[in-house]
Amino acid sequence: MTRQLGKQALLEAAAVLMDERGVDNVTIQDISQASGHRNRSAVRYHFGSRDAVVRAVIMRTMDAIDAERNVLLDHLETTGAPLTPRSVIEVVVTPLARQLRTPEGRRYLRICAQLINHPRFMSDAGDAITLNASVRRSARHLIPVLARLPGPVAAERASQVTGFIARACGDQSRLMDSDAPARPVLSVEDFTVNLVDTVLAILEAPTSVAPDGAPRAGES
């Protein structure tokens, strides 16, 4: 139990510091000191490296979100009703946006936004699709929406959507915790609905990119 509490203290300290300073501006020594550990080797003992701490900070919340999404997908799939693009996007967005309701959840969302396109953690936002089972399951249900697009455009849309969701949630969490927000702050409910609307619009938008080998508009 003591060892587990020690790990949790390190994760809590790391999350606060990485939110305040940025993931690249926090050292192992900073984490150990902020957690109250006397042993300067505590981070290496429990996690091995600073980057492993970052991943552990993310996964402890991401695992719970993944589990919730899988439960929602299980329910939708077993009812026999067709899964619409909107219902699938709601499964992806709603458990994530619910993190806005707590300080710890908002901190998690801001750290996630930092890691999108971070060279050591996620070189492309589209890689987020591979992170957990629920997102992969959801992505399979959205294939028909993207199938009408040329392959490279479909891949670009998927990357744009995953990056947009992470950044939008991170931005909303900053607004909610700001003493002087730069614009009116939507309620969590309205933010969630609007985010689903926007993601659906991105996925379903037509493309002006010509199929391979076809002339573009205005070309003969």
Side-chain angles (χ1 to χ4, degrees):
M1 179 64 70
T2 301
R3 178 176 179 179
Q4 186 65 22
L5 290 174
K7 290 183 68 173
Q8 291 304 315
L10 290 168
L11 290 175
E12 292 292 342
V16 170
L17 291 174
M18 290 175 182
D19 177 34
E20 292 176 348
R21 304 180 187 177
V23 295
D24 291 324
N25 299 315
V26 177
T27 67
I28 287 176
Q29 291 74 22
D30 292 335
I31 297 170
S32 293
Q33 182 176 358
S35 70
H37 274 275
R38 295 180 180 179
N39 184 354
R40 293 187 177 183
S41 301
V43 173
R44 294 195 184 279
Y45 173 74
H46 287 291
F47 301 101
S49 69
R50 189 178 66 90
D51 284 0
V53 178
V54 177
R55 294 185 179 94
V57 165
I58 293 300
M59 293 309 298
R60 66 175 181 166
T61 302
M62 183 182 290
D63 285 346
I65 294 172
D66 185 42
E68 181 179 353
R69 286 195 187 118
N70 278 315
V71 169
L72 293 172
L73 287 168
D74 288 343
H75 173 73
L76 290 173
E77 291 172 351
T78 55
T79 61
L83 275 74
T84 65
R86 174 174 288 277
S87 66
V88 174
I89 295 168
E90 287 173 345
V91 167
V92 173
V93 168
T94 302
L96 187 66
R98 191 174 293 118
Q99 299 302 312
L100 290 165
R101 297 189 180 280
T102 67
E104 296 79 14
R106 293 193 294 275
R107 186 177 299 125
Y108 164 79
L109 294 173
R110 289 191 292 267
I111 295 173
C112 285
Q114 290 186 54
L115 298 182
I116 289 291
N117 296 123
H118 190 291
R120 290 201 313 280
F121 297 99
M122 191 175 297
S123 59
D124 183 85
D127 293 343
I129 294 173
T130 67
L131 286 180
N132 50 57
S134 65
V135 176
R136 292 193 297 272
R137 288 174 67 185
S138 299
R140 287 196 294 269
H141 287 296
L142 292 173
I143 287 174
V145 181
L146 297 173
R148 63 192 168 75
L149 301 171
V153 175
E156 179 67 18
R157 290 278 176 94
S159 179
Q160 288 173 338
V161 162
T162 52
F164 176 75
I165 291 171
R167 294 186 184 97
C169 288
D171 188 35
Q172 179 73 0
S173 72
R174 283 188 289 272
L175 285 174
M176 291 178 66
D177 285 339
S178 172
D179 293 331
R183 63 177 183 271
V185 182
L186 293 174
S187 68
V188 174
E189 293 83 0
D190 288 349
F191 170 82
T192 303
V193 171
N194 185 63
L195 183 55
V196 171
D197 288 342
T198 306
V199 170
L200 186 61
I202 294 172
L203 290 176
E204 294 186 337
T207 180
S208 299
V209 177
D212 292 344
R216 300 181 185 278
E219 295 180 351
S220 58

